[in-house]
Amino acid sequence: MKKLLSVNNLQVHFTTFAGEVQAVRGVSFDLAAGEAIAVVGESGCGKSVTAQSIMKLIPSPPGRYMAGEIFFNGENLLPKTEKEMETIRGKDIGMIFQDPMTSLNPTMKVGHQIVEMLKKHTNLTGEAVKRRAVEMLALVGLPNPEKRYDQYPHQFSGGMRQRAMIAMALACNPRLLIADEPTTALDVTIQAQILELMQELKDKLGTSIILITHDLGVVAGFASRVIVMYAGKVVESGTTGEIFYRHRHPYTRGLLASVPRPGKEIRKKLNPIAGRPPGLINPPRGCAFWPRCDRAMQVCREVQPDMVQLSDTHWVSCWLTHEFAAKGANVRS
Amino acid sequence: MKKLVEIVNLKKYFRVGKNQILKAVNDVSIDIYRGETLGVVGESGCGKTTLGRTVVRLYRPTAGKVLYNGLDVHKAAGQEKKALYRRMQMIFQDPYASLNPRMTVNEIIGEALDIHRIAGGSQRRERIMELLRLVGLNVDHANRFPHEFSGGQRQRIGIARALAVDPEFIVCDEPISALDVSIQAQVVNLLEELQERLGLTYMFIAHDLSMVRHISSRVAVMYLGKVVELAGSDELYENPLHPYTRALLSSIPVADPDIEAERRRIILAGDVPSPVNPPPGCAFVSRCPQAMKECNQEIPVFKEIGDHHFAACHRLG
């Protein structure tokens, strides 16, 4: 499959009063055309910063791109100017956020917001623009799209706002859709509606999707590949099957053991990860996970483990996979 | 098992405008047994939080009553009321909003001890230390302020505060939904351990349905101010009867790709209708895939359909 997006060794820092926060510390991954991948991790692991970097939405100051490349469609986005980015944002890359109100303008009718976008990025004019906007509202399953076109965001419910935002993000047929916790604020029945909608759009329009979430259940049903992030780094990545059934990193195992097992084992005692993630002003010298890891070795405190390839698609960064690590080090739950 | 809390035909309405009444809790009757965990689930706006708050007397009911050990919670006064507050406690959803930012942990937990004159002097200090240890916090955290703690730690402080008065019954209102996955599991484990050690009874309100199944012995499903189904938690999840429960359960994402690939979801159309002037008849009628004519006219009766399995639906029995 053709590579659409390629992130290489991305590093993003933020300057704060307390010091330099190393939010993203060398993240690399690829995305093929038409593929849906998920980025998972806890708050503060750098997943949203990574996503916003792809759109170059990190405010500077305080943020700074320290190193790395983001190739989209063969072009490196990081050196691009704000003006050049404006032709890409919304047109080639669409983004939806957890809180729709952050990206919908509360003072403008929903229809006009989509029209504004279409006017900027397409050659459509006059009636055709409006027709396309109504079409988009219908596509995302809003009842009475004609009426909704003339309404303000506050007249929409949470799920409908999310749909309106998706309509806006997809209006120009972007090749990549970045969804940053799109369903976290929604109820499960509405979440199911939105996820089904995104799946449908992916199949129908061939849009590639990066789904950022902390909900492992959402990941299991949606993505074909998963990237697990911890403390600003990718610790494990692989196909959904590899991550859920053959994971090798203790953090991935810990995340999965923190949610109740489906079916009969539901009452089994949860096995959470002790402690909490490290601060990123002074991240640990070795593996960032060692202070919480129940199998940490001396080497983990001193030296960062390399990314090791286990299969065509499965990568992990953990000393336990080293050939000299103690036997029985295979992590399986 | 012995009944600890009896909720009888409880109603809580809010006036939200001229001639507009929001029926947040609309005729709910549930018993809670000693030592059990009753889970309450439902979408936002279904009235689960209002129900919890009315049970512990944070709200006055519009009609109906809550009996605690046979005593009417909302009629109790004076010493009786004070004694009641020692038996019933609450843990709140937002660990940032529910702790006074100007008080130290010591003061937050000690306040309850002072009001109920449980311990003074060196006993008071010892009791606070004991509570901190009980919820897995360090004793030298006592002199710090809430902003110095993470979300999970704050929730532990909230739990210690609730436990300070030796309660029997705790309403946990979405205690984990503001926390990260790995921290959620820590807090749930703590709640389970405390229940075992202290023999607590919980009413556990949440919208995370798999966590509710994990922790609860029985589960009540609410929709638009009403309980639509109530059963033992395994029974409810394996054999849901009400069409809303079925749809709700089918929309929970399961953290297992093989199961996910096999599953058929029931996707409900539309959103929850407004609880202001709800539709006549069954509250769920506007989204129900199996609605019949009578669903529009008559409110279905909440009755026992299987063994200890209750539901309110015209299609059933």
Side-chain angles (χ1 to χ4, degrees), chain A residues 42-43 157 159-160 187-193 196 214-218 220-221 240-241 244-245 255 258-260 262-264 266-276 292, chain B residues 42-44 150 153 180-183 185-186 188-189 193 209-211 213-216 233-234 238 244 248 251-260 265 267-271 287:
Chain A
E42 296 174 88
S43 353
S157 70
M160 286 184 342
D187 279 312
V188 277
T189 61
I190 311 294
Q191 167 172 285
Q193 291 173 8
E196 193 180 67
H214 64 262
D215 188 333
L216 293 157
V218 170
T240 310
F244 279 85
Y245 305 125
L255 268 188
S258 300
V259 293
K264 294 277 176 218
I266 193 93
R267 293 208 188 279
K268 235 168 103 176
K269 197 166 158 41
L270 301 175
N271 199 357
I273 310 166
R276 55 199 170 105
R292 301 174 79 189
Chain B
E43 294 174 87
S44 24
S150 67
Q153 287 175 316
D180 258 319
V181 192
S182 71
I183 313 295
Q186 293 175 5
V188 165
N189 276 357
E193 275 161 32
L209 292 127
S210 32
M211 207 51 111
R213 181 174 182 188
H214 170 80
I215 198 171
S216 309
S233 83
D234 286 338
E238 272 155 34
Y244 176 63
L248 191 66
S251 21
I252 318 174
V254 176
D256 188 324
D258 287 352
I259 296 178
E260 277 289 316
R265 285 195 205 294
I267 305 266
L268 288 177
D271 300 308
R287 297 171 86 194

Side-chain angles (χ1 to χ4, degrees), chain B residues 87 183 204 281:
Chain B
R87 305 269 78 96
I183 313 295
F204 191 88

